[in-house]
Amino acid sequence: MEVHGELWTLKEFFVYPNEYIYWSLQIVMYPFMTGLVAGAFVLSSLYHVFGRKELKDMARFSLTFSYALLLAAPMPLLFHLQKPLRGFNVFFTPHFTSAIAAFGIVFFLYASIVASEIWFVNRKFFVESAINFRNAEGLGNRIKGFVYRVWTLGAYDISEESLKKDERAVKILAGIGIPAACFLHGYAGFIFGSVKANALWMTPLMPVIFIMSAIVSGIALCMLTYIIIMQIRKVVILRKRKPWMTSAEEVRSVEIDAIKMTSKYLIFFMVMAITLELLDLVFRGYTALKHWDILRVVIYSRDFFNIFIIQYGIGTILPLIIFLMPRLTIRRATIGLFLVLVGVFMMRWNVVIGGQAFSLTFSGYMDYILPVIPYNYDTFKEGVGGALLILFMPFFFLWILNKLIPVVDSTNRVIENK
Amino acid sequence: MNFDRREFLKAGFKTILATGFSLGAFEILRPEVLAALKKEEGIRWTFLVDTTKCIGCGMCVRACKLENEIPYEVNVSRTWVERYVMTKDGRIYADSPNAARDGFIKNDPMGTMVKKEDIDKAFFVPKLCNQCENPPCVQVCPVGATYQTPDGIVLIDRKWCIGCGYCIMACPYGVRFFHPVYKVAEKCNFCYHRINKGMKPACVDACAFGARMIGNIRDLGDPVARIIKTERTAVLKEEYGTKPHVFYIGLDSIVR
């Protein structure tokens, strides 16, 4: 019999007997996923609130994608819990001095904002589809028709005037949504930043750092997925081109423009994120409190590769160079975006795992051995298998949403359904 | 309805008062606040460890494991004993193999054989939950499954804990772990089931040298309270503001 955490913890020097790496890969996944949610939403809001016209296509896509990510965001927590079936206790008896207790409230508040925004954005489509499918035949189409009829919520008015009102509603919701998204993720940072027992985590900068890197990762994932979807679409369109469909060349040109525009915002938030992270590091070194001795060893030697090579080198500096060099191509952008995602993931890793890399004694270390090949329930759900499953989920949800909602653009869908 | 300014201000003032009072009731009637009103009454359990008496036999750890059903072979324990060895060249060795379950029988701190004549000082420090007055573990529990009793003991509800591990992360003393059988957070509770029946905690009873003592700090006649109030004692990691209630005699600056 072993205690939870013992399977993947290697202790060195003086570590308290009960100390293990209790927060493992799924707790790395959790802020990574909520970060993607928040980032995707902020990207879509740049268009809706600040009227950045160049982001129009991207905005519609990232809004829906944000929702798909949102559905997957609580899953790492459930995988992490020792008693997942009791997860609902958080809603029954929320203990509000705990940062995690607010999760339910923040999550549902945010989910309802995103859902209603999606509804307003797609209302015209719902109404048109509901009318189209009214007398449809076949079970699939009848179910679709029913879903659309429910989704119209009885509001069939799609006059110019009411659509204007929809746009206003979207704008307001997106406006409320930005602070909500920042709150959703800032509070994930608060979960770590408020743990006074952990020398690496405890800093008031943690929520802000988390928000910035969240926006970076969200924008990057949206761009990456957008590129992939556009490429797939291009292939599909080329294969079964019909006269009323967008031509392959048009698809291509839309894509690179959107990517160039969005990458400007990406660079801005990346610079913000790295500035804050370096500020935190410099401050720790300068004040050199009691725990700095061990933190220095962890940061500059034991985790050097993870922090300075992967997170800052490959995950931040390299993509910055890629995006700042002139004549950005799709292929180069794709590589850069992938590296950005790796960098943000490693930032989460270095916070969560790095925070447990040293003992509370300040004179011992713990090494995390990532379980790759699962040999029991724990090593699956808190190993590579569980993490991959969770990474896959948002795309699965997006695929389902795409069956019912125009994820990329709405121009052809209604006609296609006829 | 027609409101002039005077009426508006009046009504507004009344509304603020009414909401204030009713919201204030939530604050006033909070169990902690009510409990604080009748402060300094009843028992406040306090532990006293005389490190100068501990010989590192590990009987306390064994007794604890048996009493509290922590599987014997698993590498976690509600209480443990640490060994500190400082050699003449200034090196500090500290360890607690298997939580000192089997006692310290060899001169091998951290696996290095240390000669007797090289040692400047060496001693043992028993550790257990500090039953903090301001427990960070209780603060961070998202479901309220861990809570503080009026007599100062922090308990865990095994039927309500979701096993998120936040409390384990929040404890600066590393006393918490996941119970290998029940899969929920677990820690020392001064053998709450025993002390409520007038018995001593298992580790106190098991200690042949009187290194571990328990008492009520609010009772002036209590020997433990007397020692804490009149002699020089210290607590662990005061800087975290947790107000621990395990006091130590003979604590050293090298103790972690």
Side-chain angles (χ1 to χ4, degrees):
Chain A
M1 197 189 303
E2 65 266 308
V3 65
H4 180 76
E6 200 176 1
L7 288 173
W8 48 74
T9 310
L10 269 188
K11 293 181 176 185
E12 256 182 278
F13 304 118
F14 180 39
V15 178
Y16 290 137
N18 295 337
E19 271 188 288
Y20 292 98
I21 293 180
Y22 290 105
W23 280 9
S24 61
L25 186 59
Q26 290 300 350
I27 297 294
V28 179
M29 291 300 293
Y30 164 64
F32 186 62
M33 297 299 283
T34 50
L36 294 173
V37 176
F41 187 82
V42 168
L43 178 60
S44 83
S45 297
L46 285 176
Y47 165 69
H48 291 301
V49 180
F50 303 108
R52 297 275 175 246
K53 289 270 176 343
E54 66 271 15
L55 297 178
K56 188 178 176 205
D57 271 8
M58 207 61 154
R60 172 185 280 275
F61 166 72
S62 49
L63 180 64
T64 324
F65 196 31
S66 173
Y67 196 70
L69 286 161
L70 185 78
L71 295 175
M75 295 177 71
L77 277 185
L78 283 179
F79 271 52
H80 160 75
L81 290 187
Q82 286 289 289
K83 292 276 178 190
L85 294 177
R86 292 185 191 168
F88 263 96
N89 290 7
V90 180
F91 304 112
F92 295 146
T93 55
H95 184 238
F96 284 116
T97 56
S98 166
I100 296 183
F103 179 77
I105 293 162
V106 178
F107 180 81
F108 282 118
L109 175 83
Y110 183 68
S112 53
I113 290 173
V114 179
S116 33
E117 197 181 329
I118 291 177
W119 186 75
F120 278 115
V121 168
N122 292 296
R123 204 176 65 84
K124 180 161 174 267
F125 172 78
F126 292 155
V127 171
E128 283 170 353
S129 305
I131 294 166
N132 269 333
F133 279 108
R134 188 161 274 165
N135 298 314
E137 282 175 22
L139 185 65
N141 283 344
R142 284 223 300 274
I143 292 173
K144 261 191 171 177
F146 175 73
V147 170
Y148 286 127
R149 273 203 300 287
V150 171
W151 278 0
T152 60
L153 302 179
Y156 279 89
D157 181 6
I158 46 169
S159 62
E160 204 55 29
E161 206 179 317
S162 71
L163 287 181
K164 272 249 165 62
K165 273 187 190 160
D166 284 0
E167 263 173 45
R168 261 223 332 265
V170 168
K171 198 168 177 171
I172 292 168
L173 282 170
I176 304 169
I178 293 176
C182 289
F183 190 61
L184 174 76
H185 197 66
Y187 119 93
F190 188 86
I191 290 178
F192 296 99
S194 64
V195 176
K196 63 182 167 191
N198 193 304
L200 186 79
W201 293 349
M202 210 200 81
T203 160
L205 276 183
M206 197 59 98
V208 197
I209 292 175
F210 263 54
I211 289 172
M212 287 307 155
S213 57
I215 297 174
V216 169
S217 66
I219 294 180
L221 185 66
C222 280
M223 288 168 76
L224 192 63
T225 318
Y226 184 75
I227 289 175
I228 292 168
I229 288 180
M230 284 313 210
Q231 296 292 4
I232 294 172
R233 247 166 61 102
K234 207 167 75 184
V235 172
V236 171
I237 289 169
L238 280 176
R239 213 191 287 160
K240 48 167 197 183
R241 192 200 297 259
K242 291 195 178 107
W244 61 78
M245 282 187 164
T246 345
S247 71
E249 291 70 37
E250 261 175 72
V251 175
R252 172 102 215 167
S253 64
V254 167
E255 208 180 340
I256 189 69
D257 271 0
I259 294 303
K260 271 185 182 160
M261 285 300 170
T262 326
S263 67
K264 293 212 171 92
Y265 295 98
L266 180 70
I267 291 166
F268 171 76
F269 285 111
M270 274 174 82
V271 171
M272 293 287 282
I274 193 165
T275 311
L276 285 168
E277 279 166 40
L278 289 180
L279 172 66
D280 182 50
L281 192 62
V282 168
F283 204 81
R284 283 169 189 281
Y286 191 81
T287 53
L289 294 174
K290 189 178 168 188
H291 47 247
W292 175 244
D293 278 341
I294 192 146
L295 280 190
R296 195 179 47 208
V297 176
V298 168
I299 294 171
Y300 290 124
S301 66
R302 293 181 73 91
D303 277 1
F304 183 85
F305 186 76
N306 282 350
I307 295 175
F308 291 99
I309 306 293
I310 307 187
Q311 186 190 332
Y312 290 131
I314 297 174
T316 312
I317 309 290
L318 195 58
L320 268 180
I321 295 170
I322 287 177
F323 284 112
L324 286 174
M325 281 207 314
R327 288 186 298 280
L328 186 69
T329 61
I330 293 286
R331 190 172 301 160
R332 229 172 68 201
T334 311
I335 296 168
L337 292 169
F338 180 74
L339 293 180
V340 167
L341 285 173
V342 171
V344 175
F345 182 82
M346 279 319 285
M347 182 261 172
R348 310 292 192 238
W349 177 284
N350 292 331
V351 168
V352 176
I353 306 296
Q356 298 168 83
F358 56 94
S359 162
L360 291 168
T361 60
F362 295 152
S363 34
Y365 303 97
M366 289 190 286
D367 263 333
Y368 178 58
I369 311 298
L370 176 67
V372 179
I373 297 159
Y375 50 91
N376 62 14
Y377 181 53
D378 264 2
T379 47
F380 169 71
K381 75 185 181 86
E382 294 192 47
V384 172
L388 286 179
L389 185 65
I390 284 182
L391 274 182
F392 162 78
M393 288 317 282
F395 298 100
F396 173 70
F397 291 131
L398 185 69
W399 178 72
I400 292 179
L401 284 174
N402 187 44
K403 296 245 169 253
L404 296 163
I405 297 172
V407 169
V408 181
D409 77 279
S410 59
T411 41
N412 307 317
R413 292 292 290 263
V414 182
I415 308 162
E416 270 177 70
N417 287 333
K418 254 183 182 172
Chain B
M1 200 158 53
N2 224 343
F3 258 137
D4 62 17
R5 184 186 303 193
R6 173 181 292 269
E7 265 178 273
F8 176 76
L9 285 176
K10 262 180 168 172
F13 188 62
K14 276 182 199 159
T15 318
I16 290 167
L17 273 187
T19 12
F21 274 125
S22 40
L23 286 179
F26 282 111
E27 175 64 27
I28 292 161
L29 297 177
R30 256 167 57 203
E32 309 90 88
V33 178
L34 286 180
L37 282 179
K38 39 172 208 170
K39 59 189 166 191
E40 300 299 308
E41 265 178 45
I43 301 171
R44 201 326 173 178
W45 293 110
T46 308
F47 213 90
L48 180 65
V49 179
D50 189 344
T51 58
T52 58
K53 288 181 183 162
C54 179
I55 61 146
C57 62
M59 288 301 276
C60 48
V61 179
R62 284 194 286 279
C64 174
K65 284 207 160 190
L66 288 174
E67 175 69 28
N68 294 299
E69 293 174 333
I70 307 299
Y72 194 74
E73 72 281 12
V74 177
N75 287 325
V76 284
S77 181
R78 288 175 163 213
T79 184
W80 67 97
V81 182
E82 291 165 2
R83 162 171 61 184
Y84 290 87
V85 176
M86 198 160 129
T87 51
K88 292 213 162 79
D89 56 0
R91 295 180 67 153
I92 297 166
Y93 298 89
D95 67 348
S96 180
N98 285 334
R101 182 193 69 193
D102 308 321
F104 297 91
I105 39 178
K106 270 196 263 169
N107 254 353
D108 61 339
M110 297 174 118
T112 2
M113 290 308 283
V114 178
K115 276 187 233 138
K116 229 179 193 172
E117 55 270 23
D118 289 343
I119 298 173
D120 251 351
K121 59 177 169 185
F123 52 88
F124 298 102
V125 179
K127 294 265 184 92
L128 65 167
C129 175
N130 285 279
Q131 315 295 353
C132 306
E133 194 58 46
N134 180 19
C137 52
V138 171
Q139 183 187 30
V140 300
C141 177
V143 294
T146 184
Y147 55 96
Q148 197 177 25
T149 62
D151 45 9
I153 307 292
V154 173
L155 298 178
I156 299 161
D157 186 346
R158 275 185 188 161
K159 291 207 173 87
W160 203 250
C161 172
I162 59 173
C164 65
Y166 204 6
C167 55
I168 302 177
M169 290 293 132
C171 176
Y173 306 99
V175 301
R176 284 179 172 246
F177 53 94
F178 279 126
H179 194 290
V181 177
Y182 300 109
K183 307 280 179 203
V184 292
E186 176 76 19
K187 72 166 192 67
C188 159
N189 54 19
F190 286 1
C191 286
Y192 202 58
H193 55 292
R194 289 170 65 95
I195 53 177
N196 270 316
K197 288 183 190 151
M199 298 155 86
K200 294 257 159 71
C203 59
V204 175
D205 272 352
C207 183
F209 306 91
R212 291 173 176 249
M213 289 159 269
I214 189 164
N216 171 17
I217 201 163
R218 286 184 193 149
D219 178 4
L220 295 173
D222 191 299
V224 168
R226 261 232 328 277
I227 294 174
I228 292 167
K229 286 194 172 143
T230 58
E231 291 181 26
R232 277 164 282 182
T233 56
V235 292
L236 293 168
K237 301 190 182 182
E238 211 179 356
E239 66 273 21
Y240 288 104
T242 53
K243 302 199 179 83
H245 270 64
V246 174
F247 292 82
Y248 286 86
I249 297 174
L251 208 59
D252 192 272
S253 65
I254 64 167
V255 174
R256 302 291 171 161

